[in-house]
Amino acid sequence: MRLWSSAWSNGEAIPPRLAAGRLADDGSVGFSDNLSPPLAWSDLPAGTLSLVLICHDFDVPSSAADVNQADCEVPVDLPRVDFFHWLLVDVPPHTSGFSEGQWSRGFSVGGKPGPATDGPARQGLNDFTGWFAADAAHAGRYFGYDGPFPPFNDSLVHHYLFTLYALDVPRLAVQGDFTGTQVREALAGHVLGAATLSGTYTLNRRLRTA
């Protein structure tokens, strides 16, 4: 299997238009275009009945104590955890990719709807749901794609991993407002093959100019 994007090469920086957050010229941080990325794939295994796409950031601080504080940086050696940015299941196997902005255009305060889509695919809850849970102005159920928005003071450049799974079942056994953990558990025993694409992103001005 192969997975790629026309917007960046594997391991390179993700363009700001595909992120949820961006740096302004004056150094402030705000919402970005949040366009879902253009993706393409090929060479699916024989017998593929559906596809699952997961995007997660594995560099998220395990503690929010220093996050987005102007007078300090999040330590590089702080333990990190996963943050799911996109969960898409039941994608038909005849699909060969997505165009830029097909699944997201702009950041929707309170979250985009789901899990149903216009087709057979279903969208899961991304982790902005939990991130904004205590923020009355932004709280909601965030389905589908919401791109990178790492802490502006993180001393670590964040890595985003897009993984496409080819499955031997037409419908993944997850129900309702499913999460990344539930998708990973449901994949067990059904993966015929997988392909990955990585990208990086930072809002730390010091790291961007280094």
Side-chain angles (χ1 to χ4, degrees):
M1 288 179 61
R2 294 180 60 230
L3 174 65
W4 69 94
S5 176
S6 59
W8 80 94
S9 296
N10 190 46
E12 293 184 348
I14 295 172
R17 69 181 185 276
L18 306 180
R22 74 189 316 159
L23 275 174
D25 292 339
D26 63 3
S28 62
V29 175
F31 288 113
S32 188
D33 302 311
N34 200 40
L35 298 174
S36 59
L39 296 173
W41 52 82
S42 64
D43 304 324
L44 299 181
T48 298
L49 297 181
S50 70
L51 303 170
V52 166
L53 181 66
I54 296 176
C55 172
H56 78 285
D57 171 4
F58 51 79
D59 291 319
V60 172
S62 57
S63 169
D66 296 324
V67 166
N68 292 331
Q69 301 298 315
D71 58 349
C72 67
E73 284 195 351
V74 178
V76 69
D77 59 353
L78 182 73
R80 306 289 167 147
V81 297
D82 289 343
F83 187 105
F84 292 95
H85 284 264
W86 198 6
L87 302 165
L88 189 64
V89 308
D90 303 344
V91 178
H94 58 76
T95 309
S96 59
F98 302 136
S99 59
E100 185 169 307
Q102 180 174 337
W103 294 95
S104 175
R105 288 183 173 274
F107 192 85
S108 300
V109 174
K112 293 185 289 294
T117 68
D118 291 338
R122 292 178 290 153
Q123 302 187 109
L125 287 172
N126 68 51
D127 282 340
F128 282 102
T129 302
W131 179 255
F132 286 129
D135 181 344
H138 295 87
R141 297 189 303 163
Y142 285 76
F143 288 93
Y145 178 81
D146 285 306
F149 203 151
F152 66 77
N153 66 331
D154 203 338
S155 56
L156 190 67
V157 174
H158 284 220
H159 293 78
Y160 300 82
L161 188 65
F162 293 79
T163 306
L164 183 73
Y165 297 92
L167 306 187
D168 64 358
V169 291
R171 184 176 174 87
L172 192 67
V174 289
Q175 304 297 328
D177 301 346
F178 55 88
T179 65
T181 298
Q182 292 172 323
V183 170
R184 282 179 169 172
E185 292 174 349
L187 288 173
H190 296 292
V191 178
L192 298 174
T196 60
L197 170 68
S198 68
T200 63
Y201 200 72
T202 181
L203 292 176
N204 188 322
R205 184 171 291 276
R206 178 181 65 80
L207 297 178
R208 291 168 67 96
T209 57

